[in-house]
Amino acid sequence: MKNKIRHLIAAAALALPVAMPAFANEGGPKLDKANIDIQDTESLQRGAQIFANYCLSCHSASMMRYNRLEDIGLTEEQIKADLMPEGAKIGDQMNIAMNKQDAKTWFGATPPDLSLIARSRGADYLYSYLRGFYRDPSRPTGWNNLVFDKVGMPHIFWEWQGEQELKTAKNAEGQEEHKLELVKAGTLTKLENGKANTAEFDRRMRDLTNFLVYMGEPAAVKRQQIGYVVVMFLGLLLFPLVYLLKKEYWRDVH
């Protein structure tokens, strides 16, 4: 029986890498660290506004409702005024009006629902993808992406970021590496003495990534907060009991 259990545990451990997203083993470009924090409500609020204004016209988030945004510190009045389309109700799902068949005709594929995109792709992937667009005249939209080659999505943030070009160079091992170089600044980027300053644009993409991660599990914020309280409570409760037990155990020794 024990050997059977060991075999089952070993099989489960071997299966874990297989269950990881396929892109993790494809040897693609190195992903940048998103360094998000779902406890940062100001970042989540900024990300929600970017998502509502720029993403929600094509991408739905059908597993998310507008009233859940109150959990990140927004009031119902703020949500209605800044994030909801005309005619929507506060309890509605974050759906789009665009017909799926029309979307497939216009874009070549139906834009995916983004409710769980962060759970399937990961924060680093999304952050790198949002910052990875570059000019490519061979593509129908004029844009390609370093993380998602031959992407069908246009670069909706190009006015913020500016224009990047794909550069190829050899690393120390003699292997070719692809890197992006900012050649034309946007409203949130700068070119200073030949060096790119993209700090503000990166911050906004980090905020958007943070919100996409939050949408994947809205209860995570409260769950973590409750977890901290429980740990503190148990610590305060158990410390005196453990101390008294220690004194009783060592009483005869001393």
Side-chain angles (χ1 to χ4, degrees):
M1 184 66 179
K2 290 182 178 179
N3 288 334
K4 186 175 181 180
I5 293 174
R6 290 196 191 100
H7 289 320
L8 289 173
I9 294 173
L14 290 171
L16 285 176
V18 179
M20 293 296 288
F23 64 83
N25 296 317
E26 288 177 354
K30 183 179 179 181
L31 301 179
D32 298 323
K33 291 292 184 182
N35 296 321
I36 61 165
D37 179 11
I38 60 171
Q39 296 288 345
D40 186 348
T41 54
E42 291 185 0
S43 171
L44 291 175
Q45 290 172 11
R46 292 191 299 265
Q49 188 168 31
I50 295 172
F51 180 81
N53 293 335
Y54 289 89
C55 306
L56 200 52
S57 56
C58 296
H59 294 276
S60 61
S62 59
M63 299 182 70
M64 184 75 179
R65 295 183 186 274
Y66 289 103
N67 55 9
R68 288 305 301 264
L69 299 178
E70 295 180 28
D71 293 345
I72 61 174
L74 295 172
T75 65
E76 184 174 328
E77 290 70 24
Q78 289 174 322
I79 297 170
K80 289 180 177 179
D82 301 327
L83 305 178
M84 289 174 54
E86 187 176 351
K89 298 179 180 179
I90 191 67
D92 286 351
Q93 297 168 304
M94 300 178 81
N95 288 319
I96 57 174
M98 182 168 51
N99 181 276
K100 289 184 178 181
Q101 189 57 46
D102 290 340
K104 188 174 182 179
T105 301
W106 297 333
F107 300 111
T110 304
D113 185 284
L114 299 183
S115 303
L116 301 176
I117 190 67
R119 299 186 70 172
S120 64
R121 289 294 188 176
D124 293 347
Y125 177 93
L126 294 176
Y127 179 62
S128 302
Y129 169 78
L130 291 168
R131 298 164 55 253
F133 284 89
Y134 63 91
R135 276 294 183 188
D136 185 351
S138 68
R139 301 299 300 151
T141 63
W143 299 95
N144 207 335
N145 193 284
L146 183 61
V147 178
F148 190 155
D149 187 37
K150 295 179 176 60
V151 65
M153 175 180 166
H155 187 13
I156 60 174
F157 299 115
W158 74 270
E159 290 183 330
W160 285 359
Q161 185 182 34
E163 298 183 16
Q164 296 187 121
E165 287 185 357
L166 184 66
K167 303 292 184 179
T168 303
K170 290 187 176 181
N171 58 22
E173 289 76 27
Q175 299 172 332
E176 287 191 346
E177 286 186 342
H178 298 297
K179 295 184 177 180
L180 297 178
E181 180 180 321
L182 186 69
V183 294
K184 184 178 180 181
T187 57
L188 299 181
T189 58
K190 297 178 182 178
L191 280 171
E192 301 169 335
N193 300 322
K195 294 184 178 180
N197 183 343
T198 63
E200 179 60 23
F201 177 75
D202 293 345
R203 182 185 68 81
R204 295 203 188 187
M205 295 303 99
R206 186 174 289 109
D207 291 338
L208 177 56
T209 302
N210 202 19
F211 179 72
L212 291 171
V213 171
Y214 163 78
M215 280 204 307
E217 189 182 357
V221 176
K222 284 191 174 181
R223 176 170 54 78
Q224 291 181 9
Q225 292 172 345
I226 293 172
Y228 297 143
V229 174
V230 170
V231 170
M232 291 177 62
F233 174 77
L234 290 176
L236 293 173
L237 178 66
L238 291 177
F239 178 77
L241 295 177
V242 172
Y243 177 74
L244 292 173
L245 179 63
K246 176 256 183 188
K247 289 192 66 176
E248 179 65 23
Y249 185 83
W250 291 99
R251 182 178 59 180
D252 295 335
V253 176
H254 297 294

